[in-house]
């Protein structure tokens, strides 16, 4: 083990850890905005209670995401200074736009949303959460544009005197074909996570004993008797479970559609990644999709496989008879193109991360279907197995998102910028193995502590249930409310 290995591990751990918060922040911001919009339009207090309930969980997650995101960016200068020197002129542009435009938009309007309850006009206050959600979405776009440049560099030139990549066309960078397919795919994954969390919490509360019994199925969505708080809570959580399940299901469909488009672009610009995802060692036309493949220990050939004919050609090219190039043929091409070396990623990692990504996402969609079936014609879910599945439901799409990013980054190896810079050439040459180990150990301990804090806070406020709220009248601009207590605090 050397400094390069530990630096890669550190970046991988901090990136995956940071991404645990990102999809929930992006997806939940929009869902909270939708809930508040429903309250604004209908005046139904259950939507207001759901807005404040899930809004508090969103804020906890947002705060943790900001902290871990800042630490992640520090690594570019700490462990990857040669990489930063090479790509800084290109990579810095979308990241600067993200910070100066998207993040400030998100954080500014989020502050107005937090402290503007009953102080801002309702319509203005509603606009603040939508502006914050827009900022979160734009932030994702610019960061994905920077990452997509690493997968498919465009809009640049190499300065022969400095050996650095220099930006020549910012529009080309922001409209990279990889960005245009990755962005909707990532957004769909975010809504998959947010919808699953909403379903999970709602199911947990529906399983708790209530003061009033759940109504029998009558063919209509009859709420619990609203003479009790428990009945009102159950009515609200039944809506949240149904709403979250529909969001999860729609997001799963969007993930499949956008993933199909992404696979075709990946086959075009990074054929080795597609071949590694399928453990396809030899070029095939038509190519079969591997359900299960067992390869040799050196990762050079296939020993046993269960396959679906034609499916890989359809996924990679859109043509059932399309050609998909194999690992060995691409390795030979890259040797002749870039010089001697190994240009194959770690096949078991790419193969299984690709399958875990797909399988876990489909499992979350299946639970969402189960929830909708259990609530048909106004029923309240009663199955113990459904409640148990609901407890693990948020973990499934969250893990699927993480495996997706592991596949994306590990499938690009050994390149840190595809075709331009090898990962081994991007590490800081002045950082020793003990120094990297020290920072890696420190970050891991701090992140473990933050994980405990995050989980405890989320569980605490999720278990607390819906808050008691009384919709206040529209604020009077001429009224002095200096001493009025906060309407929303955390």
């Amino acid at each position: 083990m050397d400094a390069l290995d530990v630096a890669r591990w550190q970046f991988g751990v901090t990136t995956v850890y940071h991404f645990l918060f990102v999809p929930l922040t992006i997806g939940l911001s929009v869902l909270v905005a939708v809930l508040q919009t429903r309250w604004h339009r209908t005046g139904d207090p259950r939507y207001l209670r759901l807005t404040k309930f899930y809004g508090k969980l969103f804020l906890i997650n947002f705060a943790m995401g900001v902290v871990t995101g800042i630490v992640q960016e520090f690594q570019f200068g700490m462990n990857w200074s040669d990489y930063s020197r090479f790509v800084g002129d290109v990579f810095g542009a979308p990241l600067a736009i993200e910070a100066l435009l998207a993040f400030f938009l998100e954080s500014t309007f989020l502050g107005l949303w937090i402290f503007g309850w009953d102080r801002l006009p309702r319509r203005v206050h509603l606009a603040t959460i939508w502006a914050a959600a827009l900022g979160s979405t734009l932030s994702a776009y610019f960061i994905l544009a920077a990452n997509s440049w690493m997968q498919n560099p465009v809009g640049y030139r190499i300065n022969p005197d400095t050996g650095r990549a220099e930006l020549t066309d910012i529009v080309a960078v922001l409209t990279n074909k990889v960005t245009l397919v990755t962005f909707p795919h990532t957004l769909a994954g975010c809504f998959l996570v947010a919808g699953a969390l909403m379903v999970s919490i709602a199911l947990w509360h529906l399983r708790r004993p209530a003061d009033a019994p759940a109504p029998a199925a009558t063919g209509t969505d009859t709420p619990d008797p609203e003479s009790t708080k428990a009945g009102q809570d159950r009515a609200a959580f039944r809506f949240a479970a149904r709403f979250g399940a529909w969001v999860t299901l729609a997001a799963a469909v969007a993930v499949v559609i956008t993933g199909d488009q992404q696979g075709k672009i990946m086959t075009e610009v990074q054929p080795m990644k597609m071949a590694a995802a399928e453990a396809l060692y030899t070029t095939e036309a038509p190519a079969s999709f591997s359900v299960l493949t067992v390869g040799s220990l050196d990762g050079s050939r296939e020993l046993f496989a269960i396959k679906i004919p034609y499916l890989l050609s359809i996924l990679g090219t859109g043509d059932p008879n399309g050609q998909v190039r194999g690992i060995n043929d691409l390795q030979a091409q890259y040797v002749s193109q870039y010089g001697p070396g190994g240009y194959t990623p770690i096949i078991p990692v790419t193969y299984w991360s690709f399958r875990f990504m797909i399988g876990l996402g489909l499992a979350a969609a299946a639970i969402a279907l189960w929830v909708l079936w259990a609530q048909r014609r106004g029923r309240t879910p009663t199955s113990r197995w459904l409640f148990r599945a609901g407890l693990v439901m948020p973990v499934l799409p969250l893990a699927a998102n993480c495996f997706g990013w592991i596949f994306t980054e590990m499938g690009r190896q050994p390149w840190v910028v595809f075709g331009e810079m090898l990962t081994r050439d991007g590490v800081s040459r002045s950082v020793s193995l003990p120094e990297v180990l020290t920072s890696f150990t420190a970050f891991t301990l701090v992140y473990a502590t933050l994980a405990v804090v995050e989980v405890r806070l989320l569980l605490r406020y999720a278990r607390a249930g819906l808050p008691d709220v009384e919709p206040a009248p529209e604020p009077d601009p001429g009224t002095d409310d200096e001493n009025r207590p906060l309407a929303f605090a955390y």
Side-chain angles (χ1 to χ4, degrees), residues 56-173:
K56 189 165 291 188
L57 302 180
F58 159 65
L59 291 175
I60 294 170
N61 194 77
F62 172 81
M64 202 67 70
V66 171
V67 173
T68 56
I70 293 174
V71 172
Q72 184 188 13
E73 292 194 1
F74 284 160
Q75 291 184 91
F76 290 122
M78 292 168 51
N79 296 341
W80 301 96
S81 59
D82 282 11
Y83 163 79
S84 299
R85 187 177 300 110
F86 177 73
V87 305
D89 189 68
V90 179
F91 205 75
L95 290 184
I97 297 173
E98 185 274 332
L100 296 174
L101 173 63
F103 178 72
F104 283 156
L105 174 68
E106 177 185 23
S107 56
T108 299
F109 282 99
L110 192 57
L112 290 172
W113 184 74
I114 293 171
F115 301 108
W117 286 98
D118 303 332
R119 286 170 167 76
L120 295 174
R122 288 185 184 177
R123 186 170 297 178
V124 174
H125 186 259
L126 175 62
T128 62
I129 185 60
W130 279 110
L134 175 63
S136 297
T137 304
L138 289 175
S139 179
Y141 186 88
F142 292 119
I143 291 175
L144 289 173
N147 180 267
S148 296
W149 188 85
M150 298 165 64
Q151 316 290 338
N152 180 45
V154 294
Y156 75 104
R157 74 180 185 93
I158 301 297
N159 187 317
D161 298 325
T162 62
R164 299 175 65 244
E166 296 181 350
L167 182 66
T168 59
D169 189 350
I170 184 62
V171 175
V173 172

Side-chain angles (χ1 to χ4, degrees), residues 307-457:
K307 298 183 176 182
I308 301 176
Y310 303 102
L311 184 55
L312 181 57
S313 289
I314 295 173
L315 294 175
T317 67
D319 181 357
N321 297 307
Q323 183 186 85
V324 180
R325 304 189 64 187
I327 294 170
N328 296 337
D329 296 328
L330 289 167
Q331 167 65 20
Q333 175 192 326
Y334 291 161
V335 167
S336 63
Q337 184 175 353
Y338 301 112
Y343 298 96
T344 303
I346 303 174
I347 304 302
V349 173
T350 54
Y351 182 86
W352 287 110
S353 60
F354 187 65
R355 275 144 189 80
F356 285 142
M357 173 188 67
I358 296 173
L360 293 172
L362 291 177
I367 297 175
L369 274 174
W370 191 0
V371 171
L372 291 174
W373 174 257
Q375 291 202 94
R376 69 193 186 282
R377 298 180 181 176
R379 290 176 171 87
T380 297
T382 58
S383 170
R384 290 185 179 181
W385 287 106
L386 177 57
F387 290 132
R388 291 170 181 170
L391 290 177
V392 301
M393 187 179 176
V395 179
L396 300 178
L398 192 59
N401 272 265
C402 291
F403 278 117
W405 274 109
I406 290 172
F407 167 72
T408 297
E409 297 304 295
M410 292 296 291
R412 191 187 61 243
Q413 300 303 315
W415 301 102
V416 67
V417 179
F418 185 76
E420 293 292 351
M421 183 180 230
L422 294 170
T423 303
R424 66 168 184 253
D425 297 329
V427 72
S428 300
R429 287 171 285 183
S430 60
V431 178
S432 64
L433 175 59
E435 290 172 327
V436 183
L437 277 174
T438 300
S439 62
F440 184 28
T441 303
F443 281 152
T444 303
L445 293 175
V446 171
Y447 277 9
T449 304
L450 290 176
V452 173
V453 173
E454 161 88 358
V455 172
R456 290 189 65 177
L457 285 174

